[in-house]
Amino acid sequence: MFKVIAMSAKNIEPMEQAKANWRLYYTLTQELLKFIDNDDVDQFLDLEQQRSDLVDRMKALPETEVYRKTQECQELVQKIKPLDMQVIYKAKAWLNRSRQQNASVHAYDIQGMNTLGNIFNKKY
């Protein structure tokens, strides 16, 4: 698995950091779609955790909200929204498929059905 590293340098201005964080959020969202399309759940979950960590850093940076009000950020948000909706939709679809597969597997569990095997073990 690879890890996306957020740009965080001491000499970078907070507003530039906010801008970089939003661009990284957009990139991570694009990557999430790629990995869920490829059914790479482990990488998808890792990227989702990275994105969640990034959101925490964004919330801790006051300039995030200042940058969010700019036209530039609003345009980026308009690109992010449909991607987020796709991620949510595809993640829910994957979860439903996974649940159905799990239910199918458990339908064949024969725990507690040992009496059936006993019929074949009798000697006549």
Side-chain angles (χ1 to χ4, degrees):
M1 289 189 207
F2 70 90
K3 186 114 173 148
V4 177
I5 309 257
M7 197 172 107
S8 183
K10 293 184 182 197
N11 59 354
I12 191 169
E13 295 292 322
M15 193 64 149
E16 285 300 311
Q17 183 64 56
K19 185 176 181 178
N21 287 344
W22 275 102
R23 284 192 308 249
L24 182 58
Y25 186 91
Y26 177 59
T27 300
L28 286 170
T29 304
Q30 290 174 314
E31 292 299 309
L32 283 170
L33 279 173
K34 289 178 190 175
F35 285 103
I36 202 162
D37 285 342
N38 292 334
D39 278 336
D40 190 342
V41 178
D42 292 332
Q43 188 65 43
F44 174 84
L45 292 174
D46 184 56
L47 286 170
E48 181 56 38
Q49 182 59 52
Q50 290 179 50
R51 194 172 77 156
S52 178
D53 293 344
L54 175 63
V55 168
D56 291 342
R57 289 194 307 270
M58 290 169 78
K59 287 178 181 178
L61 184 67
E63 285 75 13
T64 298
E65 286 306 312
V66 175
Y67 178 69
R68 184 185 181 106
K69 294 175 185 175
T70 67
Q71 181 64 32
E72 180 182 16
C73 186
Q74 287 303 309
E75 289 172 7
L76 189 56
V77 167
Q78 292 308 312
K79 291 179 184 178
I80 292 171
K81 281 183 179 180
L83 295 178
D84 264 343
M85 294 307 294
Q86 286 182 53
V87 168
I88 292 168
Y89 173 79
K90 290 180 180 192
K92 285 182 179 180
W94 174 84
L95 185 59
N96 287 337
R97 277 193 316 274
S98 179
R99 285 181 180 158
Q100 289 171 348
Q101 289 171 347
N102 193 28
S104 296
V105 167
H106 287 297
Y108 290 100
D109 277 349
I110 56 172
Q111 294 176 355
M113 300 291 282
N114 292 338
T115 55
L116 180 63
N118 290 338
I119 293 173
F120 298 111
N121 293 334
K122 288 184 179 180
K123 295 201 183 215
Y124 292 98

